[in-house]
């Protein structure tokens, strides 16, 4: 069943064009037509949103694959840096890789510290809590009046 098949259609002409309709009948028909129109618009919006979400999910899969490949390729970058430092400074390989490890460790500590500072600033939603307490208090007082 396609989207078009299960959406009720709006009749464009009356069943009996010669019949005189009462005001109540006209209002009832108009209300039914508006209701059908609104439902049709909602169904159309749902269909469009579903299609766009599918496109977004398919696009995000490509980003995930790209990030995975990037993460695995960083290993080779760090290997090249380790060998490069060893050659450039005339050190043993262990020293070049030790330097790479030290730089990576310092970078990780720096980002952990920055993350800690951001998380430390998180506070409870005081306004929402106060509003909820006020609502509970108002409802409790209202119940006590009976």
């Amino acid at each position: 069943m396609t989207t078009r098949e299960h959406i009720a259609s709006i009749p464009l002409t009356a069943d009996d064009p010669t019949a005189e309709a009462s005001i109540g009948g006209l209002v009832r028909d108009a209300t039914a037509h508006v209701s059908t129109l609104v439902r049709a618009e909602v169904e159309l919006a749902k269909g469009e949103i579903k299609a766009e979400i599918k496109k977004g999910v398919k696009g995000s899969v490509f980003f995930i694959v790209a990030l995975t490949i990037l993460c695995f390729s960083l290993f080779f970058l760090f290997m090249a840096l380790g060998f490069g430092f060893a050659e450039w400074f005339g050190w043993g390989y262990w020293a070049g890789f030790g330097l790479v490890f030290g730089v990576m460790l310092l970078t990780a500590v720096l980002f952990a510290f920055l993350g800690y500072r951001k998380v430390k600033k998180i506070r409870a939603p005081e306004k929402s809590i106060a509003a909820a307490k006020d609502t509970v208090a108002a409802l409790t007082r209202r119940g006590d009046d009976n």
Side-chain angles (χ1 to χ4, degrees):
M1 174 189 299
T2 65
T3 304
R4 199 159 222 227
E5 291 173 352
H6 75 282
I7 297 176
S9 63
I10 300 172
L12 299 177
T13 61
D15 292 338
D16 185 9
T18 60
E20 289 291 322
S22 66
I23 297 293
L26 290 174
V27 170
R28 180 177 32 98
D29 289 345
T31 304
H33 294 327
V34 168
S35 175
T36 303
L37 180 62
V38 168
R39 275 183 287 186
E41 290 293 329
V42 168
E43 287 297 321
L44 176 64
K46 282 183 186 177
E48 288 178 342
I49 289 172
K50 284 180 184 178
E52 294 303 314
I53 288 175
K54 285 182 182 179
K55 287 180 192 175
V57 167
K58 288 178 183 177
S60 66
V61 167
F62 291 115
F63 283 119
I64 291 169
V65 170
L67 286 173
T68 303
I69 292 171
L70 178 66
C71 287
F72 284 118
S73 66
L74 286 175
F75 175 75
F76 294 104
L77 171 68
F78 296 133
M79 292 286 291
L81 285 173
F83 284 119
F85 287 146
E87 288 291 321
W88 190 33
F89 293 121
W91 299 341
Y93 292 131
W94 65 270
F97 285 106
L99 180 61
V100 170
F101 174 74
V103 170
M104 290 173 68
L105 185 64
L106 287 175
T107 305
V109 168
L110 173 71
F111 280 108
F113 175 71
L114 293 175
Y116 173 76
R117 283 184 42 198
K118 288 289 184 186
V119 169
K120 190 176 170 183
K121 292 181 182 179
I122 296 174
R123 301 282 180 238
E126 295 171 8
K127 292 179 184 177
S128 298
I129 292 171
K133 286 180 181 178
D134 290 344
T135 302
V136 168
L139 292 175
T140 305
R141 275 188 256 125
R142 177 181 266 180
D144 292 342
D145 293 341
N146 292 334

